[in-house]
Amino acid sequence: MSTNQSQTTGYLYTFQAFFTWGLLPVYWKLLNHVPALEILAHRIFWSLIFVLLLLIWKKKLNIGNLFYNKKATSTLAITGLLVGSNWGVYIYAVNINHIVEASLGYYITPLVNVALGLIFLKEKLSKLQILALVLAATAVIYLTIDYGRFPWISIYLAVSFGLYGLLKKMSGVEAMPALAVETLVLTPFALSYIVWGLVSGKGHLFNDTIQTDALLIMAGVVTTLPLYWFGLGAKRITLTSVGFMQYIAPSIMLFLGLFIYHEGFPKEKQVAFVAIWIALALYSYSIFASYRKKKQG
């Protein structure tokens, strides 16, 4: 495959991933009659099943070796808890009509990554990146004071996903084997919940419609496939390009929240979003300028 063909394929895979992540609220809305915790349990369990099948197909089912590496195993246990709680809060936010607040969290995530890089990896920030962080923090403080409550959904989604990315980077394990271990760590909880639902008759699997059964089981596919596509795409295009494309998902979520599900968008949220967008524009420009400088040098 030529370089141009590889890059084109990379852009398509990466776009597919972010576009699918952006549309996920529609999927969870179809299950809004099911408690968020039950949806989460199915998402974890069926993700494990699907990722194992994917690894078998790709002949990469060698996750057993990871358990001999205590550091990697410990790290993946923590990232499993982080990604599981992130999924749970996200599903909860969608099903209580807080898609807009969830989208804000994913807009903030790149800026949280910058802050985490500064704190844990001792990375140096440019003046523009420092200004972007200050502007984002100011927006959150303003939203908390003027809106009357702390935007915990946004902040938790951003911080948990930021920490998840940081620890995954430090673990050095490929995305799919890592997800297999992460979901395996969470599966005892998930499977216990599912079995309890089946035995007690209080669960929705096989006690509701065929559509509900299919949606619960396919939760593993809609979770794993975008991550698989992202892994394929990110290998073929620059990190800068991936950085710009990551705004696709929260933009789609914001559109869905405002125009499809008609969530409120009061003045204080509008001001906070504009401030975050300006911060992201500054951050993106700083990354692009740095990339261009390195290329010219």
Side-chain angles (χ1 to χ4, degrees):
M1 186 183 288
S2 70
T3 303
N4 287 339
Q5 283 180 316
S6 179
Q7 283 189 338
T8 301
T9 304
Y11 281 116
L12 287 173
Y13 274 128
T14 308
F15 176 79
Q16 276 181 196
F18 284 119
F19 186 75
T20 305
W21 280 326
L23 288 177
L24 272 183
V26 178
Y27 194 92
W28 305 130
K29 279 287 186 184
L30 294 172
L31 285 165
N32 64 358
H33 60 291
V34 179
L37 197 59
E38 185 176 353
I39 298 172
L40 176 61
H42 282 282
R43 187 177 188 184
I44 291 167
F45 177 71
W46 297 112
S47 290
L48 173 63
I49 299 301
F50 188 71
V51 78
L52 288 177
L53 290 173
L54 197 58
L55 287 170
I56 291 169
W57 175 59
K58 298 291 289 182
K59 296 180 181 178
K60 291 185 176 181
L61 190 63
N62 56 352
I63 61 171
N65 297 333
L66 291 175
F67 292 104
Y68 292 105
N69 186 335
K70 290 184 179 180
K71 185 179 178 182
T73 305
S74 300
T75 302
L76 291 175
I78 296 169
T79 56
L81 293 172
L82 283 169
V83 76
S85 61
N86 183 280
W87 288 350
V89 170
Y90 177 58
I91 294 167
Y92 172 75
V94 169
N95 287 352
I96 62 167
N97 302 315
H98 280 63
I99 298 173
V100 171
E101 192 171 337
S103 74
L104 178 62
Y106 290 115
Y107 276 124
I108 295 172
T109 299
L111 301 172
V112 169
N113 290 338
V114 173
L116 292 173
L118 174 67
I119 296 167
F120 294 102
L121 303 179
K122 308 302 178 185
E123 294 177 350
K124 292 182 179 180
L125 303 186
S126 67
K127 291 179 180 178
L128 278 180
Q129 289 174 331
I130 293 170
L131 180 59
L133 278 178
V134 170
L135 192 56
T138 303
V140 171
I141 292 168
Y142 167 78
L143 187 60
T144 301
I145 295 170
D146 208 23
Y147 194 48
R149 68 176 181 82
F150 185 71
W152 73 268
I153 288 174
S154 302
I155 299 304
Y156 188 80
L157 289 175
V159 172
S160 61
F161 201 72
L163 285 170
Y164 174 73
L166 174 69
L167 290 173
K168 282 287 281 284
K169 182 179 180 180
M170 292 169 70
S171 75
V173 182
E174 285 187 46
M176 285 295 121
L179 184 62
V181 176
E182 288 163 352
T183 48
L184 188 61
V185 167
L186 298 171
T187 290
F189 147 73
L191 192 56
S192 298
Y193 195 109
I194 293 168
V195 170
W196 171 81
L198 289 170
V199 172
S200 67
K202 294 181 180 180
H204 286 74
L205 185 67
F206 307 134
N207 284 319
D208 207 304
T209 63
I210 294 175
Q211 177 181 306
T212 297
D213 295 341
L215 288 169
L216 288 172
I217 293 170
M218 292 298 289
V221 177
V222 300
T223 297
T224 306
L225 264 187
L227 186 62
Y228 176 63
W229 290 332
F230 178 77
L232 291 175
K235 290 177 184 176
R236 292 172 167 86
I237 61 177
T238 65
L239 193 60
T240 305
S241 298
V242 173
F244 284 123
M245 292 181 77
Q246 70 185 322
Y247 303 131
I248 293 170
S251 298
I252 294 172
M253 290 167 59
L254 179 61
F255 179 87
L256 289 171
L258 293 179
F259 301 109
I260 304 300
Y261 299 111
H262 307 291
E263 292 184 9
F265 199 47
K267 178 181 70 70
E268 56 271 18
K269 278 191 177 181
Q270 293 174 31
V271 172
F273 265 86
V274 169
I276 294 295
W277 287 332
I278 293 172
L280 287 173
L282 292 172
Y283 164 72
S284 299
Y285 178 77
S286 73
I287 296 296
F288 179 72
S290 176
Y291 173 74
R292 189 172 58 180
K293 189 176 179 180
K294 284 181 182 178
K295 204 170 182 182
Q296 289 174 345

